[in-house]
């Protein structure tokens, strides 16, 4: 079974406060400009001058922003993909990667803010689930004024692994979902399960952009965190809910992998279903895990393997899921 200990998503990275005493004067000077009512952006703008030492793993990672609409961007760096909403109401982030990436994300926000200084305020960070490659920047952004939002189940898991009593936690949660009216759009947050028991998909209704969180690894075998309440059937049924929510014009931000459209999500969904059935067939024929791995999946699925979830590892996830289902029957 995949153990959490083998996940490459919990680096021992500590966010370092970058507001050094020598810089506070600058912050206050900037904040005193009448049009800027919130010093958050001023702090963000200073970030490039104050980068803390980065671990080698992230030192060469560049944050890149791709415009999906005139106000929504997809950011890629290390860890899960971000969505950013930029407009008159300020910034909203969906996920915030690793702590080590937070200041680079802040740099991108400063770049995206353009000429609207009022629109530079960071308001909300939504966590699609608790994993560290999606929530590592929470402390940094909360320190810079953001309000954290996540499902109640994700909050429970964030609390369980909080490194200290002062670690920031979501302050707005929901059991099934919530709407957020922001930047001339309605964001529909839907609580789902499958990758973990606390997944959230974020649908920007007017913009027709969906952030699927890790319920979608585009073109890849998914990671299903069975130790955190995830499961293959749950994953498939949540993907069906996402497919029902969107149309062929929807731009879909996957948790990992390139920007996608509905057919890409359908392809991954079909792959999961077919490979699940193939492994169940092997188990039904009395094959062991290693013999199923040795036989491998159909060649058409080879391209879904990647460095984190190899074919053998994906088969292992499916194998234990089939055994669990058989035992429950
Ligand atoms: Zn994840």
């Amino acid at each position: 079974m995949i153990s959490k200990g083998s996940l490459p998503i919990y680096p021992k990275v500590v966010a370092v406060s970058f507001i050094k005493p020598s810089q506070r004067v600058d912050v206050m000077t900037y904040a005193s400009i009448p049009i800027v009512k919130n010093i958050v952006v001023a702090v963000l703008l200073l970030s490039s001058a104050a980068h803390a030492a980065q671990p080698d793993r992230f030192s060469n990672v560049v944050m890149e922003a791709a415009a999906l609409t005139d106000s929504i961007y997809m950011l890629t760096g290390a860890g899960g993909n971000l969505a950013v909403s930029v407009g008159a109401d300020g910034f909203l982030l969906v996920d915030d990667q690793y702590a080590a990436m937070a200041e680079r994300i802040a740099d991108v926000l400063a770049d995206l803010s353009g000429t609207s200084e009022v629109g530079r305020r960071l308001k909300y960070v939504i966590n699609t689930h608790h994993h560290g490659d999606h929530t590592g920047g929470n402390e940094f952004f909360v320190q810079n004024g953001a309000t954290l939002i996540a499902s109640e189940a994700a909050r429970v898991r964030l609390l369980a692994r909080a490194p200290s009593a002062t670690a920031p936690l979501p302050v707005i949660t929901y059991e099934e979902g919530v709407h957020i009216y922001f930047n001339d759009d309605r964001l529909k947050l839907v609580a789902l399960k499958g990758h973990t028991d606390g997944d959230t998909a974020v649908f920007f209704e007017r913009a027709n952009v969906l952030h699927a969180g890790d319920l979608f690894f585009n073109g890849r075998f998914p990671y299903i965190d069975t130790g955190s309440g995830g499961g293959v059937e749950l994953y498939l049924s949540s993907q069906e809910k996402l497919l029902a929510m969107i149309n062929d014009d929807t731009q879909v931000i996957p948790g990992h992998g390139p920007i996608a459209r509905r057919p890409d999500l359908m392809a991954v969904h079909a792959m999961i279903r077919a490979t699940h059935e193939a492994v169940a067939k092997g188990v039904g024929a009395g094959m062991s895990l290693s013999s199923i791995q040795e036989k491998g999946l159909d060649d058409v699925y080879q391209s879904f393997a990647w460095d984190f979830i190899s074919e053998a590892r994906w088969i292992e996830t499916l194998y234990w899921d089939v055994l669990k289902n058989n035992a429950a029957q």
Side-chain angles (χ1 to χ4, degrees):
M1 198 149 350
I2 296 168
S3 70
K4 205 185 277 184
S6 60
L7 270 175
I9 57 174
Y10 299 113
K12 300 230 181 311
V13 174
V14 177
V16 179
S17 171
F18 65 90
I19 310 171
K20 294 172 184 166
S22 60
Q23 293 166 336
R24 282 188 187 138
V25 172
D26 297 330
V27 171
M28 294 315 293
T29 303
Y30 193 94
S32 67
I33 299 170
I35 196 167
V36 180
K37 296 200 172 71
N38 189 317
I39 67 164
V40 168
V41 170
V43 174
L44 294 178
L45 289 173
L46 285 168
S47 63
S48 59
H51 278 154
Q54 304 290 349
D56 289 342
R57 180 176 168 207
F58 298 106
S59 59
N60 294 323
V61 178
V62 176
M63 287 300 306
E64 286 178 13
L68 304 186
T69 70
D70 55 3
S71 66
I72 299 177
Y73 296 80
M74 171 169 145
L75 269 55
T76 51
N81 295 323
L82 280 80
V84 179
S85 171
V86 187
D89 294 333
F91 289 118
L92 174 147
L93 295 185
V94 182
D95 285 343
D96 54 26
Q97 296 197 343
Y98 294 105
M101 299 303 297
E103 293 176 30
R104 269 167 273 189
I105 294 168
D107 287 343
V108 172
L109 298 188
D111 287 344
L112 293 179
S113 61
T115 56
S116 171
E117 301 204 355
V118 179
R120 289 176 171 180
R121 293 163 296 161
L122 176 62
K123 289 290 228 8
Y124 301 115
V125 173
I126 300 165
N127 290 154
T128 60
H129 61 293
H130 73 283
H131 284 156
D133 58 332
H134 296 256
T135 60
N138 281 358
E139 186 164 0
F140 176 92
F141 290 110
V142 168
Q143 280 173 2
N144 285 281
T147 297
L148 270 187
I149 302 173
S151 72
E152 182 61 23
R155 188 185 187 280
V156 168
R157 296 207 175 271
L158 284 165
L159 177 62
R161 47 153 241 178
S164 72
T166 57
L169 291 167
V171 295
I172 297 174
T173 69
Y174 42 86
E175 305 280 353
E176 294 177 7
V178 71
H179 289 146
I180 300 174
Y181 289 81
F182 195 78
N183 283 342
D184 204 22
D185 204 340
R186 188 172 83 164
L187 283 65
K188 187 181 176 72
L189 279 60
V190 185
L192 296 165
K193 296 180 196 302
H195 176 62
T196 68
D197 57 7
D199 300 311
T200 292
V202 181
F203 188 38
F204 296 81
E205 292 180 323
R206 190 180 67 81
N208 200 7
V209 172
L210 173 72
H211 192 307
D214 279 0
L215 289 168
F216 184 23
F217 289 70
N218 188 13
R220 303 176 183 183
F221 293 131
Y223 171 56
I224 293 184
D225 187 353
T226 52
S228 298
V232 178
E233 288 299 340
L234 287 169
Y235 199 92
L236 285 168
S237 71
S238 287
Q239 286 192 328
E240 279 158 24
K241 286 175 188 155
L242 298 181
L243 287 166
M245 205 186 294
I246 62 177
N247 58 34
D248 285 345
D249 295 327
T250 309
Q251 299 187 80
V252 185
I253 300 174
H256 299 265
I259 185 74
R261 296 277 182 169
R262 195 170 185 275
D264 302 309
L265 178 54
M266 288 174 71
V268 168
H269 183 77
M271 174 278 292
I272 296 171
R273 202 166 273 298
T275 55
H276 196 221
E277 275 169 24
V279 169
K281 214 167 157 189
V283 171
M287 291 173 77
S288 66
L289 170 59
S290 58
S291 57
I292 297 173
Q293 286 171 323
E294 208 167 301
K295 180 167 174 252
L297 299 168
D298 194 293
D299 283 350
V300 296
Y301 303 119
Q302 301 304 314
S303 65
F304 288 91
W306 54 301
D307 51 358
F308 183 34
I309 307 292
S310 62
E311 182 194 61
R313 195 166 180 187
W314 175 235
I315 289 173
E316 190 178 1
T317 299
L318 296 170
Y319 177 84
W320 290 115
D321 189 83
V322 169
L323 255 59
K324 198 180 80 187
N325 292 343
N326 289 351
Q329 280 170 5

